[in-house]
Amino acid sequence: MDLTYQSLAMVSSLLSTGDATSVELTEACLNRIDSSEPRINAFVTISSDLAMQQATNADIAWQNWINGKSKQKPSPLNGVPLAIKDVICVSDIVTSAGSTMLKDFVPPYDSTASERLRDAGAIFLGKTNTDEFAMGSSTENSAFGPTHNPWNLERVPGGSSGGSAAAVSAGMTYGALGTDTGGSVRQPAAMCGVVGLKPTYGRVSRSGLIAFGSSLDQIGTLTRTVEDAAILLQTISGPDPKDSTTIQEQPPDYLEMLSSSDNLKGIRVGVENEQIMGSLQPEVENSVKDAIKMLNHLGAEIVPVQLPHTKHALEAYYLIANAEASANLARYDGIRFGQRCTGNNLWETYINTRSKGFGKEVKRRIMLGTYALTAGYYEDYYLNAQKVRTLVQKDFAKAFSEVNIIVGPVTPTTAFKLGEKMEDPLQMYLSDVFTLSGNLAGIPGISLPCGFDQSGLPIGVQLLGPACGEQQLLTVAHIYQQATDWHKHTPGLEH
Ligand code: GLN
């Protein structure tokens, strides 16, 4: 049995019965990384020694439980190899954020998300490639070279969590953490044919996440199945005294409802027709329409909804995200944070550090964001963008008073060619047009595989739910996934 393309739930059950060991799983992943990584570049750092050491410990914990020496059943993640996006701090491993600025930064502490995974006994295979500071939609803005899409090596994997999405899709790991500020979990998930979950803002602690747009950033998961996403979310979510924006209520049991039904009777699914009719690649449009038909076939009632202000979400998002980025990135001055490039005086040190440490896209964002916050322009740009944000939130609140879920495309096209949009930032920004309104509203969203285009590239469908509605969102997504097999295809890299 090839262990690598199994679901996380499957390998977890093999571990719990003693039918596989964590050492075997970890070796299988590291071998796959060894053979595919030169073509894909999904990782910035591979932590094989740590992974093997963790796997040995995890096996002892399972053995003790299986032999009855321990009464405490290990977590379902105990012994399961995972990967973590390189904007999320993992203690004692370089966390570069895809930037020269942080290429030697070794955090002395874990992010809350990675600490919770570590405590659950998960195995850390390494840190995955990302657009610099998570700014981008293709993983091409990384100081460590672009990641290639496992389905077609000349295509981008999407971004900014492209390394995580590619690693899951290529069978290098059973799951990965990503981050989603404007679509960076859902968009690469769609382009790599895997499941991408962005939780409600505040569901997962941002402590130890390198900040981009603090009011939008959220840690999410990339997995092969919806059930796997639920398992990971269960472990990483919940209140955290280190992040005052975390939701104070304990999260519900995300797995409990998952298999409670095999149909969607009583579920109202909203569709915004304008979105579907937009400038979508025809194959994307058809696959999303088929997914809607499938939801309907499974018993859901399809209801038209209107989200009139989401057409301005892109402009509002890029103003707010860049404004917050310009403030968050001010700390990288070579004195307090970041790789120092010394000059003849303090001013020159600042200039050299920031000129050499940041890449082109990050500089563009800092300049745009600073401009939007400047006295005299603030009202026209930042303040207006915040007003649009409120209107978008209200659109969703109204829609969710009528429906349980909203369905639509994740991306306008399948994975584009490497280099294709690098000279045209606006085109690049447009690839997030369907995902970023979810971040402005702070609501959860999931991207699910729903088809392939003519050249064999994966297509995703997006389901959005109301704030804190992950339980139902995951349940609907799981029911869809049980009835389809798009998520079972693999890119066939071994041939
Ligand atoms: N592509 C979007 C951007 O560049 C979203 C990034 C993200 O979600 N991290 O801002």
Side-chain angles (χ1 to χ4, degrees), residues 109-342:
Y109 61 93
D110 263 328
S111 63
T112 297
S114 54
E115 184 177 47
R116 289 180 181 178
L117 293 178
R118 195 192 289 274
D119 291 347
I123 310 305
F124 294 163
L125 294 167
K127 307 297 299 290
T128 53
N129 203 6
T130 166
D131 286 296
E132 186 174 6
F133 288 96
M135 295 172 188
S137 312
S138 65
T139 320
E140 290 168 291
N141 299 330
S142 163
F144 305 98
T147 297
H148 298 251
N149 190 314
W151 294 88
N152 179 336
L153 298 171
E154 277 147 40
R155 303 276 167 154
V156 302
S160 61
S161 312
S164 289
V168 174
S169 143
M172 298 170 170
T173 176
Y174 299 102
L177 295 188
T179 60
D180 193 312
T181 303
S184 278
V185 161
R186 291 161 288 160
Q187 188 258 27
M191 291 189 172
C192 289
V194 299
V195 175
L197 171 70
K198 173 208 126 40
T200 306
Y201 180 78
R203 199 27 113 195
V204 179
S205 168
R206 289 180 295 110
S207 172
L209 163 63
I210 293 177
F212 164 12
S214 305
S215 75
L216 302 154
D217 295 342
Q218 184 59 201
I219 293 178
T221 62
L222 292 120
T223 52
R224 223 159 267 127
T225 70
V226 175
E227 184 184 13
D228 295 354
I231 296 173
L232 281 178
L233 182 64
Q234 198 71 58
T235 303
I236 61 174
S237 60
D240 177 15
K242 292 189 198 138
D243 174 2
S244 61
T245 63
T246 46
I247 295 160
Q248 290 313 303
E249 288 78 49
Q250 285 297 336
D253 186 337
Y254 295 119
L255 289 150
E256 186 190 344
M257 301 291 292
L258 223 49
S259 304
S260 57
S261 168
D262 59 0
N263 67 68
L264 297 173
K265 294 206 180 78
I267 299 288
R268 289 167 65 86
V269 172
V271 177
E272 201 205 11
N273 279 319
E274 258 176 66
Q275 262 199 351
I276 305 289
M277 300 309 185
S279 50
L280 290 179
Q281 182 181 326
E283 293 138 308
V284 174
E285 180 171 336
N286 289 334
S287 292
V288 171
K289 282 184 175 161
D290 286 346
I292 295 170
K293 278 189 209 137
M294 178 54 106
L295 295 172
N296 185 223
H297 171 77
L298 288 165
E301 185 186 345
I302 308 297
V303 184
V305 289
Q306 263 148 20
L307 301 165
H309 299 96
T310 52
K311 58 176 172 293
H312 305 298
L314 188 96
E315 294 89 326
Y317 167 83
Y318 276 97
L319 283 163
I320 295 168
N322 292 348
E324 292 183 8
S326 75
N328 276 327
L329 271 57
R331 72 189 69 164
Y332 302 104
D333 56 11
I335 307 291
R336 294 171 298 166
F337 290 93
Q339 186 80 15
R340 183 179 307 167
C341 289
T342 323

Side-chain angles (χ1 to χ4, degrees), residues 135 181 212-216 312-327 364-374 377-389 426 429 436 440:
M135 295 172 188
T181 303
F212 164 12
S214 305
S215 75
L216 302 154
H312 305 298
L314 188 96
E315 294 89 326
Y317 167 83
Y318 276 97
L319 283 163
I320 295 168
N322 292 348
E324 292 183 8
S326 75
R364 181 176 4 247
R365 307 268 181 133
I366 293 173
M367 286 188 270
L368 287 170
T370 306
Y371 182 77
L373 290 174
T374 311
Y377 297 107
Y378 173 90
E379 286 77 8
D380 282 351
Y381 293 112
Y382 185 73
L383 202 64
N384 271 333
Q386 291 290 20
K387 289 180 183 164
V388 172
R389 182 176 193 171
L426 190 59
Y429 297 171
L436 33 82
L440 289 177

